[in-house]
Amino acid sequence: MSRRRRKVLPKEPVRCVVENLSHDGRGIARQDGKTQFVDGALPGETVMAKVVGSRSKFDELRTLEVLEDSPARVTPPCDYADLCGGCSLQHMGADAQIQFKEDTLREHFAHFGGIEPEEWVPPMRSPDSLGYRRKARLGVRHVQARDSVLVGFREKRNSFLTDIDRCAVLDPRIGERITPLREMLYKLDAFSRIPQVEVACGDDVAVMVFRNMDDLSDPDRAALIAFGQAHDLHIYLQPKGPDTVHRIWPEEGEERLSYRLDEFDLTMKFHPMDFTQVNAGINGTMVHRAVEWLDVQPEQRVLDLFCGLGNFTLPLARKAGQVVGVEGDDAMVVRGRENAELNGLTNVTFHGADLQADFTSQPWAVEGFDKILIDPPRSGAQEVCEYLTAFGARRIVYVSCNPATLARDAGVMVRNGYRLVRAGVMDMFPHTTHVESIAMFERDDQ
């Protein structure tokens, strides 16, 4: 059997005239009828680029030199922007990044049935474009050839880890400690058996969770604890699955972090492995907008689907007569109840349910709802949207982390008698192509 020969790529740089951007932030050019996806290039630019991959219908290239630059081009704030896959838009100015994300949402709405909101609202900008990221998973890799340990994100479009000393977008409590983290890991007996470090930050506490594939020696445990003490970090281990995560430093106190939603006088507690919004600054603005758009009144009954630990549920409970939070993850249901009790809220209940199935006959659902909030995962809420008319809600606010599934689900909502009244994007992840958005729907008879 003959092996398929690997295609020989051109060695000489290629001149590319960039026309627009793909949804993953690469410049799009064309040559001899073939599409070129060019990393690091912006619309309107002429660049010299190296071919790094080739398929029958397109080539993949990496910018080497910008011959004619776009007005939107800026100097990346991070030294590793050209290589690291954690961010892909650092060479683009803030206004252009926001416009790109809004255009992406518009295109998805148009693609799924020609839907257009009656009103486009101004985008919500992140108060900080650097040091904002409170949740992340850092890869760890021992490089035998260099006899060193790397810690960071994958390089663009491959599985190698970027060799970084710091990260500009991570919370500084983590991002400024990459070098000492690497040095500490390299000195461990288990330096080659710790493949990742999960990081999570609350308002007052930052956490590192080390995935240890083997039991750690006493000196290794002591080294991790000393690192936590020296850098004011809580240290956790994860020997197996997520349910094995446990803290080794500090020795006392509950395994919780917290953040404040001051507008609603709420303290929200969470476990380091819980889902929380990565950008605390924009999260508060997002919650404000969602509550404002729902316009909840004291006598109304509100449903919060995919409610998590209560990020929207509890603020809504400050306004509504009754709020029902529903979540598919039983651990998050427990967390929601903990937070309701912590904040003295008695007009809110949390329930676990399979949100891919028809839940309209559940005891908590049969009374119907005046308003509904949905904040689903990237896969969206297509099945849920088919059932929402059963509740008779006059208004629905949909918070989305995926414009494609929001647009798809909006089509379902429109078919079921709702109007897409307004929509807009939120810059939850500056310098990335990730598009967070929010949309409001009203019943057609309103």
Side-chain angles (χ1 to χ4, degrees), residues 1 57 61 87 101 105 107 121 131 166 170 178 200 204 206 217 226 257 268 280 282 297 315 336 367 374 382 390 392:
M1 181 181 295
K57 295 184 178 180
L61 301 94
C87 302
K101 295 178 182 187
L105 182 59
E107 289 167 13
V121 298
R166 59 185 295 275
L170 283 177
I178 300 297
D204 302 318
S217 65
L257 296 83
M268 310 295 294
I282 206 167
Q297 301 302 311
E367 295 181 38
I374 314 174
Q382 186 172 12

Side-chain angles (χ1 to χ4, degrees), residues 8 72 107 119 127 136 145 148 178 219 295 303 325 354 360 365 368 390 399 403 414:
V8 178
E107 289 167 13
E119 176 190 2
S148 64
I178 300 297
D295 189 27
L303 175 64
D354 179 2
T360 54
V399 177
V414 170

